[in-house]
Amino acid sequence: MGSNLSSPLVAIVGATGAVGVEMIRCLEERNFPLSGLRLLASPRSAGRKLKFRDREIEVEPLTERSFKGVGIALFSASGTVSRQFAPIAVREGAIVVDNSSAFRMDADTPLVVPEINAGEIARHKGIIANPNCAAIISITPLWPVHRRNPIKRLIIATYQAASGAGAAAMEELRASTEAYLEGRDYKNTVLPHPYAFNLFSHNTKIDPETGYNDEEIKVIAETKKIFGDPDIRVSATCVRVPVLRAHSVALTFECERPISAAEVREAMKTAPGVKLVDDWANNYFPMPKDASGQDDILVGRIRQDLSDPSGRSVTLFCAGDQLLKGAALNAVQIAEKLVRVPADAA
């Protein structure tokens, strides 16, 4: 790409959404080296002002002319918006880091979790895909294990927060909980089922042949691509739970060779992007309340899978902030890798 990436002009598409707001915060808190920040959103959000580095930036309407001079464009919008505008941004010379599912499974598009496969960034052709939030939070802690003792089978059960469905779903959880506690009726309009004090299968379409929903299919396919292992056997059950912004995941994995819980625990101690929370004495393990607002994924409840007499399986539990490592932070980490790559090498 032709743009100077030592200090690029950065654009955020979907800047007023839950993830877009976190992207702005991540760029500021991590002191990202940019020459300017352009905030883009739908026409109904244009004119709003958002704070960045002690100044206010006015949100501009997203148009085909929005990307002139942009070096890196962080997209946090629908797949429809990404498919329309990401190629336009690339033609203008920008590198796109896209948070939608639009390009994730394209063979020519790197799907990147920097702690796992940052080397894939170098082969981009203008677009780099940010993975599904549940996939990121599930498999980032497993990578150090997979490198030492390949994981052959993985069973995932997710407990996914409202933030994964956007700011409107978060507000619906707040409002419906308040109504429930006050004994008032509440009509849910964002999610398909009552949310307060309830949980339900992830609100994506069910595949009529397999019975898996779209979220589960994404987690399965993206795990294979990120790990670079099409033969790993993965099953997922994705559930929406009444939590605001941190996803939790129960994982059971079977390795190629026998592995102990102690070995896994030791690997977690030095795993990048991971924090061990495994206090058996006090029954204190990863919780959404602790993961919310944290960059690291919390990992604990590490124990031998007693159903596998071969000793090759371990079970654990993790929690990670869906808006941060599950979305905005991962995208900014990819952008950080880009600014360290000479423009002609990219």
Side-chain angles (χ1 to χ4, degrees):
M1 312 308 293
S3 301
N4 176 14
L5 291 182
S6 60
S7 183
L9 171 62
V10 174
I12 297 178
V13 177
T16 59
V19 173
V21 168
E22 290 295 334
M23 285 176 170
I24 297 168
R25 193 174 67 81
C26 285
L27 290 171
E28 179 167 348
E29 289 189 352
R30 297 172 73 87
N31 197 28
F32 188 89
L34 50 77
S35 61
L37 183 62
R38 185 173 295 166
L39 304 182
L40 304 168
S42 64
R44 68 178 179 273
S45 296
R48 285 182 57 185
K49 293 184 178 180
L50 298 175
K51 192 174 179 183
F52 178 71
R53 292 180 181 171
D54 296 322
R55 64 191 180 92
E56 290 191 329
I57 300 176
E58 186 170 316
V59 177
E60 303 173 26
L62 175 64
T63 72
E64 294 186 358
R65 298 179 297 280
S66 294
F67 300 99
K68 185 175 179 60
V70 171
I72 296 175
L74 305 178
F75 273 63
S76 179
S78 68
T80 301
V81 169
S82 291
R83 280 187 286 271
Q84 179 181 352
F85 287 96
I88 295 170
V90 172
R91 286 199 296 271
E92 287 288 342
I95 299 173
V96 170
V97 181
D98 181 45
N99 198 54
S100 81
S101 61
F103 306 104
R104 288 177 187 158
M105 299 312 298
D106 287 359
D108 291 336
T109 302
L111 182 65
V112 176
V113 178
E115 291 88 346
I116 298 176
N117 62 341
E120 286 290 290
I121 293 172
R123 71 173 190 87
H124 77 81
K125 297 181 178 179
I127 299 174
I128 301 164
N130 212 34
N132 172 276
C133 50
I136 294 173
I137 292 166
S138 297
I139 69 175
T140 299
L142 300 183
W143 181 243
V145 175
H146 188 63
R147 290 182 66 191
R148 293 170 172 82
N149 189 347
I151 294 170
K152 309 306 287 184
R153 187 181 185 209
L154 174 60
I155 300 172
I156 300 170
T158 70
Y159 308 81
Q160 295 184 221
S163 55
M170 295 173 76
E171 181 54 36
E172 182 159 286
L173 175 57
R174 290 188 188 97
S176 62
T177 301
E178 184 177 281
Y180 186 100
L181 292 172
E182 293 176 355
R184 293 186 285 108
D185 289 337
Y186 183 88
K187 177 62 178 174
N188 48 289
T189 58
V190 180
L191 292 167
H193 305 289
Y195 207 0
F197 301 97
N198 190 31
L199 53 82
F200 44 86
S201 178
H202 193 277
N203 51 295
T204 45
K205 187 176 65 175
I206 301 288
D207 176 62
E209 291 187 14
T210 65
Y212 282 72
N213 62 44
D214 280 352
E215 185 81 350
E216 292 158 354
I217 291 169
K218 287 176 189 176
V219 170
I220 292 167
E222 293 179 28
T223 295
K224 293 172 184 280
K225 183 172 180 178
I226 296 164
F227 273 13
D229 184 358
D231 296 323
I232 188 171
R233 293 171 290 155
V234 185
S235 180
T237 300
C238 295
V239 176
R240 187 75 74 189
V241 299
V243 169
L244 278 175
R245 60 176 288 167
H247 289 355
S248 299
V249 188
L251 296 157
T252 297
F253 57 90
E254 178 186 344
C255 291
E256 186 174 79
R257 303 179 302 278
I259 187 168
S260 69
E263 288 176 86
V264 173
R265 194 173 295 108
E266 198 61 32
M268 295 300 108
K269 289 179 181 177
T270 55
V274 169
K275 180 181 178 182
L276 188 64
V277 180
D278 202 34
D279 186 349
W280 291 23
N282 294 298
N283 197 7
Y284 203 105
F285 302 107
M287 290 182 278
K289 79 171 189 68
D290 293 337
S292 295
Q294 282 214 34
D295 289 351
D296 289 339
I297 297 168
L298 309 184
V299 180
R301 294 231 64 205
I302 302 168
R303 60 206 190 278
Q304 212 73 35
D305 175 12
L306 297 181
S307 73
D308 181 4
S310 74
R312 297 197 302 266
S313 301
V314 169
T315 294
L316 58 79
F317 192 80
C318 63
D321 191 309
Q322 184 273 328
L323 294 175
L324 289 174
K325 185 55 187 171
L329 174 62
N330 198 78
V332 171
Q333 287 177 310
I334 293 170
E336 288 172 342
K337 298 290 184 183
L338 288 170
V339 298
R340 291 170 174 81
V341 178
D344 57 356

